[in-house]
């Protein structure tokens, strides 16, 4: 089993009110806590998982004088940027271009490695059909290459004419090298079709449409289909003859009624199609029946895909993560029967990242704000809890009396059941005022295996975090005033005394906690040991008090200092000390 | 750090000096380590970087033409079996063994044009096909046979390289070797 490093997690006070406000079932330990104020916080309660944080994760609101955790913070996005080229993307672009980098930053679709643009040197003896004109212009084509796994966009038949603006080029190319139809081309193609249709008889037109369905209809991409359908329905809405085909009695209710259709279209296109004239026209209209009207018959013949699957390996198919990381591609063929082979994956432009500033949800003050420039990692404002509340570090204490003269115990060692162990908790004061600390811990840890806990010195003061040099000058006074430090090297000479601090430094104090770990022996009928149930965790209530000079606020800075009035502040929270694993059996 | 290295170096080079067969056009750094009892063959224009280690204790080592063996590589490491075979490791032509990769001895064959990525480990008796790419930190179990043009990922995934640029890659390797020959002072006389 991996040795356990001691840890200190702090419970954000925001979870207290949450548990109070919500009625929970009677068996849950948190509900018991809500009923009875004296009850201790149980670090093993399921809900505790969501409220415990290491000190480093916590922020502090200077106006509310309260700890703020990632759960009780309002985030605001300050900057969008590409993690690859570190280019800032204005949020207006985001709406039109999407949340991916539109420069030439791409990720390998297979292994997520960054892709780089490389020129393709055509080998002299290229069997490719296009070889003659490509050989004439050397270095004229480019591809994206993954330097990690050697994936190349040529594998999916994508090559580029220019080494820049790859994103725009890629958007125009479909897998296999065929170019995506532009809106203009689509219009021209449609014109051609309708022209043909007008000349021929109705039957001939239907036959032509059927033919184009099998050849052209199948490679109709999503975009083309949508455009065709949109055009078709628009023409239906505008057509005055559409109403008179006998279904007008159904009124406005059917699928095919123009008004319900325009309502649906409004949902998708944001009201552009809203036509007040359409409302007056009632009645049904026909559905799309040809490919150029947007009808796409599902291709139920999947035999070629199945045989491809037979021929390929499991590893040739794309994993769901690979498929999910693919950007939406409107140029791709219809989803029906879409294969999920690695060979159909396209280079994925990098997803943009954000820099966020954080606000206190109560007073709306900003408590964390990064520098707007993408390249800097500095913060303009960052009120981390570590600079307001004392940090607690844990060290195992070796006393000759209790642990025996054997080898000194090290942190991470298993704890012997029923044998008293001592831990040294060091509280370090980060603020410039002296702190008064009061600790409260239950005599027995909650849970199935209660260990006995005794905090030998539950109340003490920590000196202010003053300047190191001031401290050096003051040092002599202190020695004379009797607050001498204990030397770390000679700790075995000292006895643990109740009510006395163990060691004191410039802005820190060490105290001793005695623990008698529980025996993990299971009695008959007891469930097996759950995961991490052997970890000895003690809940501890920390209350800190300090005084600030009144008028520390901006408005009365000058006068406040003159009056020398002190204002009392206090902060109280639960924390959990993870001390180690108890030996089993 | 550097003082530590100095203390290790003499101990290693104190091992048996293996018989070697070098082509006259190879580049081998002075600080490369060649140990063992069996023949080490290095063919024309191959480059052995400083501190690359070739150990022929468990059999013959053959390095093909225009190979690049990078720093801190271990070729011919005696595997867990400790078996001695006639040929320990055979590298085909145009093979690149990147930094800190290790290839165990025991009839292990690396095919032509294959790149063994940074920190990869190849088990004893593995046969890697031609023009394969082993991405960094790939581990090939002993005895595994990898077909030609395979890309091995460190998470065990594989893919077939369909680029068909083997010739180009070889050309690139030749160009790289041209540069390396100018950068690495060669001292084959030390090993013969
Ligand atoms: Zn606040
Ligand atoms: Zn919170
Ligand atoms: Zn970018
Ligand atoms: Zn890749």
């Amino acid at each position: 089993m991996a040795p356990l490093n001691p840890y200190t997690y702090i419970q954000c006070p925001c979870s207290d009110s949450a548990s109070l406000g919500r009625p929970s079932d009677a068996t849950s330990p948190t509900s018991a806590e809500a009923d009875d104020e004296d009850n201790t916080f149980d670090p093993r309660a399921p809900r505790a998982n969501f409220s415990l944080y290491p000190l480093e994760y916590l922020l502090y609101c200077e106006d509310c004088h309260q700890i703020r955790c990632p759960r009780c913070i309002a985030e605001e996005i300050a900057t969008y940027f590409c993690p690859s080229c570190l280019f800032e993307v204005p949020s207006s672009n985001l709406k039109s271009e999407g949340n991916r980098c539109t420069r030439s930053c791409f990720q390998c679709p297979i292994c997520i490695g960054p892709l780089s643009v490389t020129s393709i040197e055509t080998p002299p003896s290229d069997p490719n059909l296009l070889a003659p004109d490509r050989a004439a212009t050397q270095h004229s084509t480019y591809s994206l290459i993954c330097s990690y796994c050697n994936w190349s966009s040529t594998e999916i038949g994508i090559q580029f004419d220019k080494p820049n603006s790859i994103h725009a080029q890629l958007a125009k190319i479909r897998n296999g090298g065929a170019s995506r139809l532009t809106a203009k081309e689509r219009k021209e193609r449609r014109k051609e079709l309708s022209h043909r249709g007008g000349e021929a008889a109705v039957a001939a037109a239907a036959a032509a449409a059927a033919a184009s369905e099998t050849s052209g209809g199948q490679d109709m991409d999503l975009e083309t289909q949508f455009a065709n359908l949109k055009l078709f329905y628009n023409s239906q809405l505008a057509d005055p003859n559409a109403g008179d085909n006998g279904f007008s009695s159904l009124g406005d209710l059917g699928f095919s009624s123009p008004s319900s259709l325009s309502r649906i279209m409004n949902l998708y296109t944001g009201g552009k199609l809203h036509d007040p004239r359409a409302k007056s026209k009632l009645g049904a209209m026909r559905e799309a029946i040809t490919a150029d009207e947007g009808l796409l018959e599902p291709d139920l013949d999947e035999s070629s895909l199945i045989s491809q699957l037979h021929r390929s390996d499991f590893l040739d198919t794309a994993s769901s993560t690979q498929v999910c990381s693919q950007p939406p591609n409107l140029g791709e063929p219809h989803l029906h029967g879409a294969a999920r082979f690695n060979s159909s994956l396209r280079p994925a432009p990098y997803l943009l990242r954000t820099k966020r500033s954080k606000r206190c949800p109560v007073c709306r003050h900003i408590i964390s704000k990064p520098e707007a420039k993408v390249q800097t990692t500095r913060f303009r404002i960052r009120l981390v809890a570590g600079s307001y509340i004392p940090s607690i570090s844990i060290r195992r204490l070796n006393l000759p009396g209790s642990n025996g003269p054997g080898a000194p115990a090290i942190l991470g060692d298993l704890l012997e059941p029923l044998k008293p162990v001592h831990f040294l908790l060091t509280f370090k004061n980060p603020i410039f005022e002296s702190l008064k600390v009061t600790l409260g811990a239950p005599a027995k840890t909650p849970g199935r295996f209660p260990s006995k806990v005794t905090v030998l010195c539950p109340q003490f003061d920590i000196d202010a975090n003053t300047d190191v040099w001031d401290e050096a000058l003051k040092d002599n006074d202190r020695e004379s005033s009797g607050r001498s430090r204990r030397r770390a090297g000679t700790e075995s000479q000292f006895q643990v005394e109740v009510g006395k601090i163990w060691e004191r430094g410039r802005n820190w104090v060490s105290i001793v906690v005695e623990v008698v770990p529980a025996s993990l022996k299971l009695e008959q009928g007891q469930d097996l040991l759950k995961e991490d149930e052997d970890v000895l965790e003690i809940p501890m209530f920390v209350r800190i008090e300090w005084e600030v000079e009144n008028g520390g606020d901006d408005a009365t800075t000058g006068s406040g200092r003159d009056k020398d009035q002190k204002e009392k502040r206090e902060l109280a929270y639960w924390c959990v000390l993870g001390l180690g694993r108890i030996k089993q059996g | 750090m550097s003082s530590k290295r100095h203390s290790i170096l003499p101990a290693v080079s104190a091992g048996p000096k293996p018989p070697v067969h070098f082509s006259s056009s190879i580049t081998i750094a002075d600080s490369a380590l060649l140990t063992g009892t069996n023949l080490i063959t290095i063919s024309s224009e191959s480059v052995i970087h400083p501190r690359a280690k070739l150990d022929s204790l468990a059999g013959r080592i053959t390095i093909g033409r225009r190979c690049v063996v990078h720093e801190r590589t271990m070729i011919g490491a005696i595997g867990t079996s400790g078996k001695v075979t006639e040929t320990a490791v055979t590298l085909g032509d145009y093979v690149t063994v990147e930094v800190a990769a290790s290839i165990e001895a025991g009839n292990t064959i690396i095919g032509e044009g294959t790149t063994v990525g940074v920190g990869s480990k190849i088990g004893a008796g593995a046969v890697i096909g031609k023009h394969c790419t082993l991405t960094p930190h790939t581990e090939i179990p002993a005895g595994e046979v990898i077909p030609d043009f395979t890309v091995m990922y460190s998470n065990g995934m594989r893919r077939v390289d369909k680029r068909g640029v083997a010739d180009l890659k070889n050309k690139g390797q030749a160009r790289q070797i041209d540069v390396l020959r100018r950068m690495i002072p060669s001292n084959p006389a030390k090993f013969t």
Side-chain angles (χ1 to χ4, degrees):
Chain A
M1 198 176 295
L4 182 110
N5 277 326
Y7 52 83
T8 314
Y9 292 152
I10 291 169
Q11 191 207 25
C12 178
C14 72
S15 56
D16 261 355
S17 51
S19 67
L20 280 169
R22 196 177 308 165
S24 46
D25 57 315
T27 51
S28 134
T30 38
S31 77
E33 185 194 336
D35 293 336
D36 183 2
E37 286 236 323
D38 297 335
N39 223 325
T40 56
F41 168 69
D42 181 5
R44 279 182 218 285
R47 193 171 272 149
N49 276 336
F50 302 99
S51 58
L52 289 173
Y53 296 92
L55 180 62
E56 292 76 19
Y57 285 39
L58 296 172
L59 298 168
Y60 185 86
C61 178
E62 272 193 329
D63 293 83
C64 308
H65 307 294
Q66 193 55 271
I67 300 170
R68 295 279 169 235
C69 72
R71 280 210 308 180
C72 55
I73 262 170
E75 284 192 346
E76 266 165 35
I77 292 168
T79 331
Y80 293 90
F81 66 98
C82 165
S84 174
C85 60
L86 294 183
F87 219 71
E88 195 184 323
V89 180
S91 54
S92 54
N93 277 25
L94 216 70
K95 282 186 185 116
S96 55
E97 320 256 304
N99 60 344
R100 289 175 187 265
C101 181
T102 53
R103 307 176 87 226
S104 296
C105 311
F106 289 92
Q107 273 178 301
C108 173
I110 315 287
C111 75
I112 71 156
L115 296 176
S116 54
V117 182
T118 332
S119 70
I120 304 172
E121 219 178 291
T122 324
S125 56
D126 192 358
N128 204 319
L129 285 171
L130 296 162
D133 39 278
R134 218 176 275 160
T137 50
Q138 277 270 324
H139 289 278
S140 62
T141 54
Y142 300 86
S143 68
L144 288 168
I145 284 193
C146 170
S147 53
Y148 183 79
C149 73
N150 289 342
W151 182 87
S152 159
S153 63
T154 53
E155 282 184 26
I156 55 165
I158 289 182
Q159 292 183 348
F160 305 100
D161 300 326
K162 295 178 289 178
N164 50 3
S165 63
I166 294 290
H167 190 272
Q169 289 186 67
L170 183 69
K172 284 182 205 143
I173 310 173
R174 279 197 262 173
N175 281 9
S179 62
R180 185 172 138 192
L181 290 178
T182 59
K184 203 175 158 197
E185 281 168 341
R186 224 178 283 127
K187 210 179 262 174
E188 268 162 21
R189 213 161 127 186
R190 202 176 296 117
K191 214 180 266 171
E192 208 174 87
L193 272 170
S194 66
H195 195 61
R196 238 189 326 172
E199 280 174 354
V202 182
S212 77
E213 241 164 69
T214 44
S215 60
Q218 247 166 46
D219 65 293
M220 180 153 71
D221 53 47
L222 292 172
E223 210 174 24
T224 316
Q225 194 195 3
F226 182 75
N228 286 358
L229 276 172
K230 193 172 143 188
L231 196 88
F232 167 70
Y233 284 124
N234 272 336
S235 70
Q236 288 284 299
L237 286 171
D239 189 358
N241 301 325
D244 52 350
N245 44 6
F247 288 107
S248 48
S249 59
L250 286 173
D252 229 1
L253 301 168
F255 284 126
S256 317
S257 83
S259 63
S260 58
L261 193 81
S262 64
R263 206 171 60 234
I264 293 167
M265 294 290 266
N266 274 343
L267 289 179
Y268 286 110
T269 53
K272 263 187 236 160
L273 290 164
H274 188 74
D275 184 4
R277 283 177 305 148
K279 264 190 182 159
S280 57
K281 276 183 285 176
L282 291 175
M285 55 194 204
R286 67 182 183 88
E287 287 294 343
I289 50 166
T290 59
D292 57 307
E293 286 175 352
L295 176 76
L296 182 73
E297 285 181 15
D299 178 18
L300 297 177
D301 178 26
E302 293 182 326
S303 52
S304 66
L305 279 178
I306 291 167
S307 66
Q308 198 186 343
L309 271 172
H310 275 302
R311 270 180 280 119
S312 59
D313 203 62
F314 169 68
L315 292 167
D316 292 341
T317 54
S319 71
S320 50
T321 27
Q322 283 172 339
V323 173
C324 290
S325 66
Q326 287 283 296
N329 177 17
L330 291 175
E332 75 188 357
H334 202 270
L335 294 171
H336 185 80
R340 290 186 162 189
F341 288 103
N342 271 349
S343 51
S344 64
L345 297 174
R346 291 163 68 87
Y350 270 92
L351 276 171
L352 300 180
R353 304 285 162 92
T354 55
K355 277 188 161 191
R356 292 158 191 241
S357 54
K358 293 167 179 166
R359 273 182 199 278
C360 172
V362 180
C363 65
R364 307 299 297 163
H365 276 90
I366 289 180
I367 46 185
S368 168
K369 189 189 174 88
E371 196 90 53
K373 248 176 104 187
V374 175
Q375 282 88 345
T376 59
T377 51
R378 281 193 298 269
F379 281 80
R380 280 194 197 165
I381 303 168
R382 192 168 49 167
L383 310 176
V384 291
S387 43
Y388 294 91
I389 65 175
S391 64
I392 307 173
S393 54
I394 303 165
R395 193 159 72 86
R396 191 134 162 206
L397 186 64
N398 294 307
L399 291 173
S402 54
N403 266 5
I410 357 163
L411 273 175
D413 267 6
L414 292 178
L415 303 170
E416 287 287 342
L418 306 177
K419 250 188 172 173
V421 261
H422 293 90
F423 287 92
L424 209 58
L425 306 184
T426 306
F427 290 75
K428 203 167 187 179
N429 177 9
I431 62 170
F432 300 107
E433 314 289 339
S434 61
L435 282 185
K436 197 176 163 204
V437 181
T438 316
L439 302 176
K444 284 186 170 183
T445 57
R448 286 203 297 165
F449 306 100
S451 304
K452 277 184 205 145
V453 182
T454 320
V455 181
L456 293 181
C457 179
Q459 210 164 19
F460 52 88
D461 292 333
I462 317 177
D463 290 339
N465 183 17
T466 47
D467 191 64
V468 183
W469 292 110
D470 285 355
E471 180 60 27
L473 295 172
K474 268 195 256 167
D475 217 25
N476 289 330
D477 308 350
R478 177 155 304 165
E479 293 288 344
S480 57
S481 69
R483 297 172 96 187
S484 66
R485 301 177 189 189
R486 305 198 181 210
R487 301 275 168 252
T490 56
E491 66 183 29
S492 55
Q493 296 168 7
F494 292 94
Q495 287 296 310
V496 176
E497 281 171 275
V498 177
K500 288 241 169 112
I501 56 171
W502 178 256
E503 203 175 346
R504 169 188 291 281
R506 182 173 66 89
N507 62 334
W508 54 269
V509 162
S510 296
I511 59 149
V512 178
V513 172
E514 189 181 86
V515 181
V516 184
S519 158
L520 295 181
K521 279 218 179 75
L522 292 166
E523 279 160 40
Q524 284 243 307
Q526 263 186 314
D527 291 339
L528 284 174
L529 219 61
K530 283 182 222 129
E531 192 193 356
D532 281 348
E533 217 176 356
D534 56 334
V535 176
L536 175 60
E537 280 188 327
I538 36 179
M540 185 179 270
F541 191 70
V542 180
R543 215 178 88 104
I544 49 175
E545 277 176 66
W546 70 100
E547 283 180 336
V548 285
E549 270 168 35
N550 202 3
D553 298 317
D554 297 349
T556 51
T557 314
S559 58
R561 212 161 268 169
D562 299 335
K563 284 175 196 165
D564 203 28
Q565 275 181 328
K566 295 268 184 171
E567 192 188 329
K568 251 198 180 157
R569 290 264 164 81
E570 68 163 85
L571 188 65
Y573 51 90
W574 278 99
C575 64
V576 171
L577 311 174
L579 299 179
R581 286 184 195 278
I582 304 173
K583 208 169 177 180
Q584 291 180 44
Chain B
M1 197 62 195
S2 63
S3 64
K4 227 179 193 176
R5 270 202 189 128
H6 279 297
S7 66
I8 290 166
L9 264 178
V12 176
S13 53
K17 201 172 179 182
V20 291
H21 183 270
F22 285 170
S23 158
S24 57
S25 54
I26 68 157
T27 307
I28 183 163
D30 189 61
S31 54
L33 294 170
L34 272 61
T35 57
T37 47
N38 293 288
L39 182 69
I40 295 180
T41 309
I42 302 175
S43 313
S44 54
E45 296 188 38
S46 283
V47 175
I48 313 291
H49 277 254
R51 288 191 289 283
K53 191 177 172 194
L54 282 70
D55 187 348
S56 69
L57 203 65
R60 245 176 23 228
I61 289 180
T62 310
I63 292 177
R65 289 170 296 152
R66 288 187 178 159
C67 290
V68 180
V69 177
H70 283 261
E71 288 198 13
R72 294 191 289 119
T73 47
M74 176 72 211
I75 292 177
I78 296 181
T80 41
S81 66
K83 248 191 342 210
V84 175
T85 46
E86 201 191 323
T87 55
V89 177
T90 309
L91 304 190
D93 300 342
Y94 295 101
V95 169
T96 306
V97 183
E98 288 183 346
V99 174
S102 108
I103 302 172
E104 279 185 11
N107 252 330
T108 313
I109 298 166
I110 315 283
E112 184 196 321
T114 286
T115 304
V116 179
V118 173
S120 296
K121 287 192 178 70
I122 297 176
V127 178
I128 315 288
K130 291 177 181 174
H131 306 289
C132 291
T133 306
L134 309 187
T135 62
H137 293 286
T138 306
E139 289 191 18
I140 308 286
E144 183 91 5
V145 177
I146 309 288
D148 295 354
F149 297 103
T150 307
V151 180
M152 292 291 299
Y153 293 83
S154 50
N155 61 0
M157 213 170 78
R158 298 183 183 193
R159 189 173 66 82
V160 178
D161 187 345
K162 300 193 202 82
R163 288 179 301 162
V165 289
D167 293 340
L168 282 176
K169 245 171 87 179
N170 289 353
K171 244 195 243 170
Q173 178 100 322
R175 253 177 289 164
Q176 195 195 355
I177 287 172
D178 270 349
V179 177
L180 289 176
R181 292 169 82 164
R182 268 173 274 148
M183 317 252 311
I184 301 174
S186 179
N187 185 10
K190 185 191 162 187
F191 303 98
T192 47

